[in-house]
Amino acid sequence: MAGYGIDTIKRWFKNHVAELKILNDETQVLIWKQPDTRVYEIDFVFFENMVYITGDMRDAVFNTTWHTSWNCNKGWRIDLSYFASKLSCATYGKYAWDSRKAVEYLVEEYRDCFDGGDYEYLDAVAYIADQYIEDEYDFEVIEIPYKESFNDERSLLQMCLTINFALASSSIEEFANSLKSCADFEDFNDFWEWGYCCGRVINPDIEVYLVALQMAYDQLVKRVRK
């Protein structure tokens, strides 16, 4: 699951209006929505050090180390990864799977297994990514460019399998299960220690929440200054 992109998120929220309700010294409710519709609506409840989120963009709970409010952290200007680290639970969890990121990571990690130049390596990778795995990976049939530049056939086979299964998988669990059930896969270089988390990215919903908080803050501050 790739990220939505800030420009896309801001486009979703371009007609949103922030409504703030201060219930008491410990509790605030921020409703972020376009009037007369619940599409892309996000409702934030700030209570002590917690942020509870619901609405049209799924549910989440953040447990922070500070007293939360609509205007803390200078309008929620904090790093996305730091914000994600405070997530206690969410509809789709803290992390998501991104096949493209998984392949990028694997291609970088296996670069040391290839003795040729970068152009040749990328040419070989592009060919490998176009292959489809059925029952076994037959190097007699698959004519990988610059195959002779790989250090050994085991490294090449593992690279082929991991890249192809990464492209075919929709989750880290599916990726792992595909490799574990593949008779041709051999974990000769401790792959499960360094490769298991390839393709793991922050759940894109978390960035949506953070951008929404920042935009709502900017709107509320601007409204007060008028």
Side-chain angles (χ1 to χ4, degrees):
M1 181 190 297
Y4 303 116
I6 292 180
D7 290 341
T8 296
I9 297 171
K10 288 184 175 180
R11 187 168 63 250
W12 293 344
F13 297 151
K14 67 179 181 179
N15 295 318
H16 275 45
V17 176
E19 179 185 355
L20 179 63
K21 299 179 181 180
I22 299 178
L23 304 185
N24 52 53
D25 291 342
E26 296 291 341
T27 312
Q28 300 174 355
V29 177
L30 173 61
I31 300 173
W32 180 241
K33 62 176 291 187
Q34 180 176 336
D36 302 321
T37 179
R38 292 196 72 245
V39 177
Y40 299 128
E41 176 182 345
I42 305 179
D43 302 329
F44 301 91
V45 177
F46 307 100
F47 176 70
E48 296 183 345
N49 66 306
M50 307 293 292
V51 183
Y52 302 93
I53 299 175
T54 189
D56 186 48
M57 299 298 291
R58 293 165 289 280
D59 304 324
V61 177
F62 289 82
N63 186 347
T64 76
T65 55
W66 60 87
H67 188 283
T68 61
S69 67
W70 70 275
N71 60 351
C72 63
N73 298 303
K74 298 181 179 179
W76 290 93
R77 262 61 187 189
I78 58 177
D79 183 73
L80 175 61
S81 59
Y82 180 67
F83 183 54
S85 72
K86 303 303 178 183
L87 181 73
S88 292
C89 59
T91 301
Y92 293 140
K94 184 177 294 186
Y95 299 104
W97 167 259
D98 187 326
S99 292
R100 180 177 59 84
K101 291 291 185 182
V103 172
E104 288 178 359
Y105 177 81
L106 293 167
V107 168
E108 181 178 350
E109 289 296 315
Y110 283 112
R111 180 64 181 85
D112 291 340
C113 299
F114 188 81
D115 294 329
D118 290 343
Y119 178 82
E120 289 83 3
Y121 179 62
L122 293 178
D123 195 18
V125 168
Y127 184 89
I128 290 169
D130 282 339
Q131 303 307 306
Y132 176 74
I133 298 175
E134 292 184 350
D135 296 326
E136 60 182 19
Y137 219 96
D138 188 352
F139 286 134
E140 298 299 323
V141 176
I142 303 174
E143 298 291 339
I144 297 173
Y146 310 106
K147 183 172 73 172
E148 67 281 356
S149 294
F150 284 90
N151 295 341
D152 62 80
E153 193 166 284
R154 286 198 308 170
S155 297
L156 176 57
L157 176 58
Q158 189 183 87
M159 177 182 174
C160 291
L161 293 170
T162 56
I163 287 178
N164 276 263
F165 281 130
L167 289 170
S169 299
S170 59
S171 67
I172 186 65
E173 292 78 15
E174 183 180 354
F175 173 67
N177 289 335
S178 295
L179 287 176
K180 289 176 180 178
S181 61
C182 178
D184 288 333
F185 179 78
E186 179 187 358
D187 184 15
F188 66 91
N189 64 350
D190 299 322
F191 176 83
W192 293 117
E193 293 184 9
W194 59 266
Y196 177 78
C197 292
C198 73
R200 191 176 74 170
V201 297
I202 293 174
N203 180 344
D205 287 346
I206 299 174
E207 184 174 33
V208 173
Y209 303 144
L210 188 57
V211 172
L213 285 168
Q214 294 168 352
M215 292 180 68
Y217 168 84
D218 291 342
Q219 187 182 108
L220 288 169
V221 169
K222 185 177 181 180
R223 193 183 303 166
V224 169
R225 289 174 180 171
K226 286 184 177 180

